[in-house]
């Protein structure tokens, strides 16, 4: 289940792809973003006003 009770089948429905493809893409994106979460958390604790800024601007 995703945000706002969306299911992979809901996202795949009108886009002509299968729900398992959406599930795989979600897992891949979470896997790519997870390693960066510690850096984002540490950055937000140091400087809350700059936490949303892209990391390449530091």
């Amino acid at each position: 289940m995703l945000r706002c009770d969306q299911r992979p089948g809901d996202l795949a429905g009108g886009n002509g792809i299968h729900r398992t493809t959406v599930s795989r893409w979600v897992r891949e994106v979470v896997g790519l973003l997870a390693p960066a979460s510690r850096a984002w958390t540490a950055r937000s604790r140091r400087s809350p006003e700059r936490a949303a800024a892209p990391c390449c601007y530091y």
Side-chain angles (χ1 to χ4, degrees):
M1 190 173 317
L2 304 169
R3 186 177 185 183
C4 299
D5 294 330
Q6 290 177 322
R7 288 172 172 69
D10 299 336
L11 295 174
N15 296 312
I17 56 177
H18 198 268
R19 65 176 181 77
T20 56
T21 302
V22 173
S23 296
R24 181 173 42 91
W25 288 348
V26 169
R27 281 193 312 270
E28 288 176 6
V29 169
V30 169
L32 290 171
L33 293 176
S37 66
R38 285 188 178 171
W40 292 337
T41 302
R43 189 176 305 128
S44 68
R45 288 183 182 146
R46 282 194 314 260
S47 179
E49 66 278 355
R50 293 178 59 187
C55 61
C56 57
Y57 290 18
Y58 282 90

